[in-house]
Amino acid sequence: MLATLARVATVRRSGLRPGPGSRRGLWTGRPQADTDNVKPLEGVKILDLTRVLAGPFATMNLGDLGAEVIKVERPGAGDDTRTWGPPFVGTESTYFLSVNRNKKSIAVNIKDPNGVKIIKELAAICDVFVENYVPGKLSALGLGYADIDRIAPHVVYCSITGYGQTGPLSQRAGYDAVASAVSGLMHITGPEDGDPVRPGVAMTDLATGLYACGAIMAGLIQRYKTGKGLFIDCNLLSSQVACLTQVAGNYLIARKEAKRWGTAHGSIVPYQAFKTKDGYLVVGAGNNMQFATVCKILNLPELIDDCKYKTNHLRVQNRKELIRILSARFEEAMTSEWLHRFEGSGVPYGPINNMKNVFAEPQVLHNDLIMEMKHPTVGKISVPVSFGGCNSAHNKTPSQSPFPAFSCHFLILLGVTMFFLESLII
């Protein structure tokens, strides 16, 4: 029965057309009359076997861009993050809601042969397969890349792991805080003379999710060119090491060991948070002209031509004395006063906002970063949202079922009876 459904769905699937030479790929035919209402990834189907953050963040971004995302969860429990709280909205974890909009949910027991069959049938009608299991686990169940490639060679298969497919750490579970420690991010995060600090959000997970998202879209373009799917290996450790950028470069090229700088920067002065009478202001002077402007705004013109501060290199060498002078001046006025004085100066600056102030920030409101969406059980909720530069008005239109209630789409997707459903997922 499922095989029949797969064949029918393949014929009927919307938004995909054969590419050049009848190769399977993203539709690139003549423009339709109503192109303003077409999202970039409309017609792309994604089978999402990921949990927690990195994978769900990647697939949510693809869903925001129009892809149809089918989220596969464990029967009875679902994604771990459904229970991560408080806070909860009704019975829903706000953590889960933050990375799982624009998805459909089904519960499948992939340890059962019938569950494996369901996943394979779904993979056959999807374009992308995303998973974040420890390497080898899905292969042992018959759902590894080789297994899916055998039945669906068109699929772009993305595996997100903690440390990679092979190597001494490959069998370890990957959590953001641990990966950020091993990768060196924690070593460079925190107060200059204090302990290592975990970043306020899971930046290693989020960076990995963004790398995966970009790789998947590149994979779809590659498939359009070749007619074949491919395997993507994305992991937390590699993503975070890649994001060390100039800190890694300082060590690899100049053998300079990294350290923690608090809010400051190791190579640019001044570039940090300064305490004001009632809060904090972050100011960055990346060149001599900006430094001179900062000095004028602070009414410290004598610093501009001081031989100790004439270049950034000298300012870095004499960091402590210069920061002491600037800090004393910033503490003389309220944050709002400094914001007024720096307005229009050409110097990068801004307050350290709490969440209340973030979502009252005029530029945040102007950029449409808050979307009101309807949850099937708790009603309207607000979420932070960005569409990666796709600013057409249609991209701000939520889907009809933006948040997946646990396993609520199984019958819709497979068109099977309740008896059949229970026999396969329990």
Side-chain angles (χ1 to χ4, degrees), residues 82-96:
R82 285 186 181 271
T83 64
W84 286 8
F88 293 94
V89 180
T91 60
E92 293 281 11
S93 160
T94 59
Y95 193 115
F96 175 83

Side-chain angles (χ1 to χ4, degrees), residues 50-52 56 71 73-74 77-83 96 100:
T50 66
R51 297 101 1 112
V52 188
K71 183 177 179 69
E73 303 187 64
R74 288 180 298 160
D79 192 315
D80 288 347
T81 61
R82 285 186 181 271
T83 64
F96 175 83
N100 284 289

Side-chain angles (χ1 to χ4, degrees), residues 392-414:
S392 301
H394 69 271
N395 283 327
K396 297 299 173 110
T397 303
S399 62
Q400 291 183 352
S401 184
F403 294 99
F406 180 50
S407 191
C408 68
H409 295 98
F410 202 100
L411 295 174
I412 297 172
L413 287 167
L414 295 180

Side-chain angles (χ1 to χ4, degrees), residues 98-168:
S98 71
V99 289
N100 284 289
R101 63 177 174 264
N102 289 328
K103 300 179 183 181
K104 297 172 181 176
S105 170
I106 63 173
V108 180
N109 182 4
I110 63 172
K111 295 180 180 179
D112 185 283
N114 287 322
V116 171
K117 183 179 180 182
I118 290 175
I119 298 302
K120 287 184 174 180
E121 295 285 0
L122 287 171
I125 62 169
C126 285
D127 303 283
V128 179
F129 187 110
V130 193
E131 55 90 2
N132 63 347
Y133 286 82
V134 172
K137 186 169 184 179
L138 286 189
S139 294
L141 297 173
L143 293 173
Y145 172 64
D147 303 298
I148 300 302
D149 182 59
R150 193 175 300 115
I151 62 167
H154 64 278
V155 163
V156 175
Y157 189 114
C158 179
S159 177
I160 300 173
T161 61
Y163 302 97
Q165 298 296 313
T166 59

Side-chain angles (χ1 to χ4, degrees), residues 254-304:
R255 285 297 183 265
K256 181 178 180 180
E257 183 54 80
K259 58 172 286 186
R260 290 181 286 284
W261 286 103
T263 66
H265 194 289
S267 302
I268 306 171
V269 175
Y271 188 0
Q272 65 180 73
F274 292 94
K275 187 174 176 57
T276 67
K277 269 190 174 182
D278 63 339
Y280 294 89
L281 185 76
V282 177
V283 174
N287 56 52
N288 295 333
M289 184 178 298
Q290 289 179 344
F291 175 68
T293 302
V294 170
C295 294
K296 292 173 185 177
I297 292 172
L298 270 60
N299 196 25
L300 294 170
E302 65 276 13
L303 298 181
I304 297 173

Side-chain angles (χ1 to χ4, degrees), residues 91-413:
T91 60
E92 293 281 11
S93 160
T94 59
Y95 193 115
F96 175 83
L97 295 176
S98 71
V99 289
N100 284 289
R101 63 177 174 264
N102 289 328
K103 300 179 183 181
K104 297 172 181 176
S105 170
I106 63 173
V108 180
N109 182 4
I110 63 172
K111 295 180 180 179
D112 185 283
N114 287 322
V116 171
K117 183 179 180 182
I118 290 175
I119 298 302
K120 287 184 174 180
E121 295 285 0
L122 287 171
I125 62 169
C126 285
D127 303 283
V128 179
F129 187 110
V130 193
E131 55 90 2
N132 63 347
Y133 286 82
V134 172
K137 186 169 184 179
L138 286 189
S139 294
L141 297 173
L143 293 173
Y145 172 64
D147 303 298
I148 300 302
D149 182 59
R150 193 175 300 115
I151 62 167
H154 64 278
V155 163
V156 175
Y157 189 114
C158 179
S159 177
I160 300 173
T161 61
Y163 302 97
Q165 298 296 313
T166 59
L169 302 183
S170 62
Q171 292 303 302
R172 288 190 187 180
Y175 262 34
D176 172 89
V178 180
S180 70
V182 176
S183 68
L185 178 61
M186 273 196 194
H187 175 71
I188 60 175
T189 305
E192 184 175 358
D193 299 318
D195 294 332
V197 172
R198 174 185 175 275
V201 294
M203 288 308 304
T204 300
D205 268 339
L206 297 175
T208 304
L210 290 175
Y211 272 121
C213 183
I216 287 167
M217 289 192 285
L220 289 170
I221 294 174
Q222 173 79 348
R223 188 188 71 180
Y224 177 74
K225 295 177 178 178
T226 66
K228 297 179 180 179
L230 69 158
F231 179 79
I232 297 169
D233 175 10
C234 206
N235 67 81
L236 303 184
L237 179 64
S238 298
S239 297
Q240 187 54 66
V241 170
C243 287
L244 293 176
T245 56
Q246 92 281 358
V247 175
N250 290 344
Y251 176 76
L252 293 173
I253 298 169
R255 285 297 183 265
K256 181 178 180 180
E257 183 54 80
K259 58 172 286 186
R260 290 181 286 284
W261 286 103
T263 66
H265 194 289
S267 302
I268 306 171
V269 175
Y271 188 0
Q272 65 180 73
F274 292 94
K275 187 174 176 57
T276 67
K277 269 190 174 182
D278 63 339
Y280 294 89
L281 185 76
V282 177
V283 174
N287 56 52
N288 295 333
M289 184 178 298
Q290 289 179 344
F291 175 68
T293 302
V294 170
C295 294
K296 292 173 185 177
I297 292 172
L298 270 60
N299 196 25
L300 294 170
E302 65 276 13
L303 298 181
I304 297 173
D305 295 317
D306 191 310
C307 62
K308 292 180 290 186
Y309 312 129
K310 284 187 70 66
T311 68
N312 180 68
H313 182 68
L314 291 168
R315 292 192 289 273
V316 170
Q317 288 182 332
N318 297 285
R319 176 193 301 268
K320 288 189 176 180
E321 181 182 354
L322 176 58
I323 295 303
R324 179 180 56 79
I325 297 170
L326 299 180
S327 295
R329 183 55 54 90
F330 273 109
E331 288 195 71
E332 294 177 3
M334 307 283 277
T335 302
S336 58
E337 174 64 23
W338 290 121
L339 292 173
H340 176 73
R341 293 190 193 183
F342 273 89
E343 180 65 34
S345 66
V347 174
Y349 71 98
I352 294 181
N353 286 328
N354 60 19
M355 291 303 101
K356 180 179 179 181
N357 290 334
V358 167
F359 293 108
E361 173 66 47
Q363 191 66 46
V364 170
L365 298 174
H366 173 81
N367 288 354
D368 254 348
L369 297 181
I370 307 171
M371 176 181 283
E372 198 173 69
M373 302 180 82
K374 187 176 181 181
H375 187 279
T377 61
V378 301
K380 288 184 179 180
I381 62 174
S382 295
V383 294
V385 65
S386 175
F387 288 95
C390 297
N391 293 322
S392 301
H394 69 271
N395 283 327
K396 297 299 173 110
T397 303
S399 62
Q400 291 183 352
S401 184
F403 294 99
F406 180 50
S407 191
C408 68
H409 295 98
F410 202 100
L411 295 174
I412 297 172
L413 287 167

